[in-house]
Amino acid sequence: MTRRLAEVAKKVGVSEATVSRVLNGKPGVSEATREAVLTALDVLGYERPTQLRGDRARLVGLVLPELQNPIFPAFAEVVGGALAQQGFTSLLCTRTLGGVSEADYVDLLLQQQVSGVVFAGGFYAQADAPHGHYELIQERKLPTVLVNAAVDHLGFPQVSSDDYVAAEMAIGHLRALGHRRIGMVLGPRDHIPSRRKLEAFLAAEEADPGLVEHTMFSLEGGHAAATKLVNAGVTGIVCASDILALGAIRAVRRAGLSVPDEVSVIGYDDSAMMNCTDPPLTTVRQPIDAMGRAAVDMLVALIEHAVVPADELLFEPELVVRASTARARI
Amino acid sequence: MTRRLAEVAKKVGVSEATVSRVLNGKPGVSEATREAVLTALDVLGYERPTQLRGDRARLVGLVLPELQNPIFPAFAEVVGGALAQQGFTSLLCTRTLGGVSEADYVDLLLQQQVSGVVFAGGFYAQADAPHGHYELIQERKLPTVLVNAAVDHLGFPQVSSDDYVAAEMAIGHLRALGHRRIGMVLGPRDHIPSRRKLEAFLAAEEADPGLVEHTMFSLEGGHAAATKLVNAGVTGIVCASDILALGAIRAVRRAGLSVPDEVSVIGYDDSAMMNCTDPPLTTVRQPIDAMGRAAVDMLVALIEHAVVPADELLFEPELVVRASTARARI
DNA sequence: CCTATTCACGCAAGAATTTGCAAGCACTTG
DNA sequence: CAAGTGCTTGCAAATTCTTGCGTGAATAGG
């Protein structure tokens, strides 16, 4: 007779109502009682009936590292739109300075009983960052999709642009324009997409490992890194993001040289407005539209208990030639 | 059971009242007694009941219309950061095409029991949009702050940039450069900030009401509106957002003219990267940092039951002169 | 030695929070 | 399609905490 919820209630010695409130994170339950109920829930191995997720919440968390780089808002729009079409509502969570960490957001999302989570540019992309919260997600079997390269051992499905091919494209373009002394500005050393780009760089002909700079993903970082490369005499710079490229352009100009006449610069992402910059930025486009849709499709499949292999779906980037690259001067 | 406060009182041999006073740092307790109570509190492991109003999560909703215009992500970062400093977590909600409406988000946020909501650029700014969901918020007495001009009859506190002054600054700058035939590109007719800018425009000397165009807030909208103005022979264009201004620049060039040599263009917002555009955009900066902080301060005050007048706090914008404006040719 | 003043503290009213009851809702089953 | 199960939620009672006020003790001054 006493089914699930009632059983738990009896064990703790409270009413079903209270257990219900705890389960739904509702206010009006004392900390002590909440704790007790949570424990009993755990001990008795309570599993909430399945259709609750499907009907009530239909919430999906979208965790982004920042919003300064326009690629992230753009991605948020794509994913949010695609989710909306499938009847899901997205909750956007961004790490803020000195504020909420990725792990905190994971706790929050679990507490709010989201149906799934999409991560983009998170800690999973950095080898040396903490990954404990991803394990928590796996324990709870929360549907999750990662966007862009991750460290190996997390078994989530992934949707990525092919960083290796992107770097090849950028380098190939510069070489075709006659550049021989090519530098690269990458993100942190433990950043997986940057590592993949580095691989492609080192595999290219005449690559000089001394012309690789690691930095933070910011305009200032790009500026600093590019300054070193310019001093080392490069005529072409491949950057791991458009923001870095804008910083690089600034550095080149600060050195009294011109873009693209004396130094060519290539970005990565093709964020919005890169055709309005001075000069319009040559860049390698991430197909964020397709990637966003794919990520949502996979996530929805996971939510609907389909079996989705924890593979990495690689998307082909696309070279967008604008005016920040030109034939190398002889 | 844990007769919480009473138990401690008994252990120390004082009344509950005294323990309560110690807990709240109230005067009227001798140092010796205070010490004793504190010790007992520690020994018995007393835990304060959850004082935090209603919700444990300390969540705040941040509702934005879109993320394409970089001013919104920028604002989200400011508000998110300021909230994080105060111990709140922000949930970012953006209206997506064909997706979730503002009213849906309000329902969702109410359901998730957020502590408060910050709206920026929402329906409240448009006279003809539905406003029913704001009434719902008022009924529930949910702490709420609006950013930038709203229709009159919603009694929420507001934090705005002074649109009138902003337009005056822009027009004054162009007139000082010798421009006489000045056009204006605004948002929709029912958009309150645009109306305020229009007022300032019409109040200026030699203003021609025929040189005002209303359009959507998009690059394409700016392009279309500016094309008409260029055909009407303006030498200066004031835009209601940076995105509109970028569209306007494109339109001017499409007409075979140069910015700023033949037509000057001024934006509004001073979003990120407007110093990297071609030409670097002269614009009127919204002090989003100060505004975001003020909005958060007000919201937190509301959440803590302080009385905050439902006034509009007007922030002074700032003219940022770059290279999209120049002296008018004679 | 008596009285005024101050201070700590408890009483009890009252404010706030927690909790259970029972009605209500969503979904399943006969 | 009605009856049943399991969960949620409005409401009011119960519990727990806060605070104004008054009492009594200690202290100081007369």
Side-chain angles (χ1 to χ4, degrees):
Chain A
M1 45 179 257
T2 42
R3 318 284 170 179
R4 318 296 250 132
L5 194 147
E7 205 171 277
V8 176
K10 199 168 173 186
K11 167 115 183 173
V12 190
V14 294
S15 71
E16 294 177 35
T18 305
V19 179
S20 170
R21 277 184 269 258
V22 171
L23 277 168
N24 297 306
K26 290 283 168 70
V29 182
S30 74
E31 198 52 42
T33 309
R34 186 181 297 272
E35 204 96 334
V37 171
L38 249 18
T39 307
L41 244 29
D42 208 36
V43 170
L44 296 179
Y46 176 89
E47 275 180 43
R48 56 174 41 236
T50 44
Q51 82 271 16
L52 284 177
R53 277 191 184 161
D55 197 67
R56 248 179 60 81
R58 308 236 346 145
L59 276 179
V60 170
L62 175 55
V63 183
L64 302 177
E66 48 147 341
L67 295 172
Q68 309 276 12
N69 184 339
I71 193 71
F72 291 114
F75 189 73
E77 288 243 319
V78 172
V79 170
L83 281 168
Q85 282 185 351
Q86 307 249 12
F88 288 91
T89 303
S90 48
L91 284 184
L92 200 48
C93 307
T94 58
R95 300 202 310 253
T96 35
L97 292 173
V100 190
S101 74
E102 209 172 291
D104 290 334
Y105 272 122
V106 168
D107 282 347
L108 177 72
L109 292 171
L110 284 171
Q111 162 105 35
Q112 300 289 327
Q113 324 210 199
V114 295
S115 310
V117 186
V118 177
F119 285 93
F123 282 180
Y124 61 84
Q126 294 185 250
D128 301 345
H131 296 133
H133 51 291
Y134 296 112
E135 285 159 28
L136 188 62
I137 289 177
Q138 286 205 307
E139 277 173 28
R140 300 274 196 110
K141 300 205 174 91
L142 185 64
T144 296
V145 175
L146 308 182
V147 176
N148 277 334
V151 296
D152 279 337
H153 50 80
L154 314 160
F156 298 112
Q158 287 174 53
V159 168
S160 310
S161 329
D162 193 328
D163 293 293
Y164 192 95
V165 169
E168 273 185 346
M169 280 179 173
I171 295 160
H173 173 62
L174 288 181
R175 286 188 63 82
L177 288 171
H179 294 271
R180 286 301 170 268
R181 223 172 145 64
I182 297 173
M184 195 165 217
V185 178
L186 295 173
R189 277 174 205 286
D190 67 337
H191 185 244
I192 308 294
S194 293
R195 283 191 186 170
R196 292 189 179 176
K197 291 193 182 81
L198 178 59
E199 264 180 65
F201 179 83
L202 296 177
E205 277 180 72
E206 301 176 64
D208 178 350
L211 297 180
V212 174
E213 291 293 331
H214 289 274
T215 184
M216 293 175 312
F217 279 109
S218 69
L219 205 124
E220 293 70 24
H223 188 131
T227 300
K228 291 190 205 161
L229 293 177
V230 169
N231 289 340
V234 301
T235 64
I237 303 177
V238 176
C239 299
S241 88
D242 289 337
I243 301 292
L244 288 177
L246 292 179
I249 288 172
R250 192 169 288 188
V252 171
R253 288 181 175 159
R254 191 61 164 274
L257 301 173
S258 128
V259 177
D261 293 337
E262 284 154 303
V263 178
S264 289
V265 174
I266 299 194
Y268 176 71
D269 283 347
D270 193 28
S271 344
M273 296 199 289
M274 287 306 136
N275 52 353
C276 297
T277 56
D278 176 33
L281 191 72
T282 295
T283 189
V284 180
R285 174 183 298 164
Q286 289 199 58
I288 57 163
D289 213 81
M291 289 169 64
R293 269 169 218 287
V296 168
D297 286 347
M298 285 171 106
L299 190 74
V300 171
L302 280 171
I303 291 172
E304 284 163 2
H305 303 291
V307 178
V308 176
D311 290 340
E312 181 171 15
L313 238 57
L314 280 183
F315 281 72
E316 195 83 347
E318 183 185 348
L319 182 69
V320 180
V321 179
R322 296 205 184 93
S324 66
T325 50
R327 180 150 286 283
R329 293 210 174 165
I330 310 152
Chain B
M1 309 292 189
T2 41
R3 286 275 181 279
R4 305 308 236 138
L5 195 148
E7 198 174 272
V8 176
K10 199 169 173 185
K11 168 114 183 174
V12 189
V14 295
S15 72
E16 295 177 33
T18 305
V19 180
S20 171
R21 276 185 268 260
V22 172
L23 276 169
N24 297 306
K26 290 280 167 70
V29 183
S30 71
E31 202 47 48
T33 311
R34 187 179 296 272
E35 203 98 338
V37 171
L38 249 18
T39 308
L41 245 29
D42 206 37
V43 171
L44 295 179
Y46 176 85
E47 273 179 47
R48 255 171 191 279
T50 39
Q51 291 197 324
L52 298 179
R53 185 74 191 154
D55 25 40
R56 275 165 27 88
R58 313 243 314 160
L59 280 179
V60 169
L62 175 54
V63 183
L64 302 177
E66 48 146 342
L67 295 173
Q68 308 277 11
N69 183 341
I71 193 71
F72 291 115
F75 190 73
E77 288 243 317
V78 172
V79 171
L83 281 169
Q85 281 186 351
Q86 307 249 13
F88 288 90
T89 303
S90 48
L91 284 185
L92 201 47
C93 308
T94 58
R95 301 202 309 252
T96 36
L97 293 172
V100 190
S101 74
E102 209 173 290
D104 290 334
Y105 272 122
V106 168
D107 282 347
L108 177 73
L109 292 171
L110 284 172
Q111 162 115 36
Q112 299 289 328
Q113 324 217 203
V114 296
S115 310
V117 185
V118 177
F119 285 93
F123 282 179
Y124 61 84
Q126 295 185 250
D128 301 344
H131 296 132
H133 52 290
Y134 295 112
E135 285 158 29
L136 187 63
I137 289 177
Q138 286 207 308
E139 277 172 29
R140 301 273 200 109
K141 299 207 174 92
L142 185 65
T144 296
V145 175
L146 307 182
V147 176
N148 278 334
V151 295
D152 279 336
H153 50 81
L154 314 160
F156 298 113
Q158 286 174 53
V159 169
S160 311
S161 334
D162 194 329
D163 293 294
Y164 191 95
V165 169
E168 272 184 347
M169 281 178 173
I171 295 161
H173 174 61
L174 288 181
R175 286 189 62 84
L177 289 171
H179 293 272
R180 286 300 170 265
R181 225 172 142 64
I182 299 172
M184 194 166 218
V185 178
L186 296 172
R189 277 174 204 285
D190 67 336
H191 185 245
I192 309 293
S194 293
R195 283 191 186 169
R196 292 187 179 176
K197 292 194 181 80
L198 179 58
E199 263 180 65
F201 179 82
L202 296 177
E205 277 180 72
E206 302 177 63
D208 179 349
L211 297 181
V212 174
E213 291 293 331
H214 290 274
T215 184
M216 294 174 312
F217 279 108
S218 70
L219 205 123
E220 293 71 23
H223 189 129
T227 301
K228 291 190 207 161
L229 293 177
V230 169
N231 289 340
V234 300
T235 66
I237 303 178
V238 176
C239 300
S241 89
D242 289 337
I243 301 292
L244 288 177
L246 292 179
I249 289 172
R250 191 169 288 186
V252 170
R253 288 179 174 162
R254 192 62 165 275
L257 301 173
S258 127
V259 178
D261 293 336
E262 284 153 302
V263 178
S264 289
V265 175
I266 300 193
Y268 176 72
D269 284 347
D270 193 28
S271 343
M273 294 200 291
M274 288 305 135
N275 52 353
C276 296
T277 56
D278 176 32
L281 191 70
T282 295
T283 188
V284 179
R285 174 183 297 164
Q286 290 199 58
I288 57 163
D289 213 81
M291 289 168 65
R293 270 169 217 288
V296 168
D297 286 347
M298 285 171 107
L299 189 75
V300 171
L302 280 172
I303 290 172
E304 284 163 2
H305 303 290
V307 178
V308 175
D311 290 339
E312 180 170 16
L313 238 57
L314 279 183
F315 281 72
E316 196 84 344
E318 184 185 348
L319 182 68
V320 180
V321 180
R322 296 206 184 92
S324 67
T325 50
R327 181 150 284 284
R329 293 210 174 165
I330 310 153

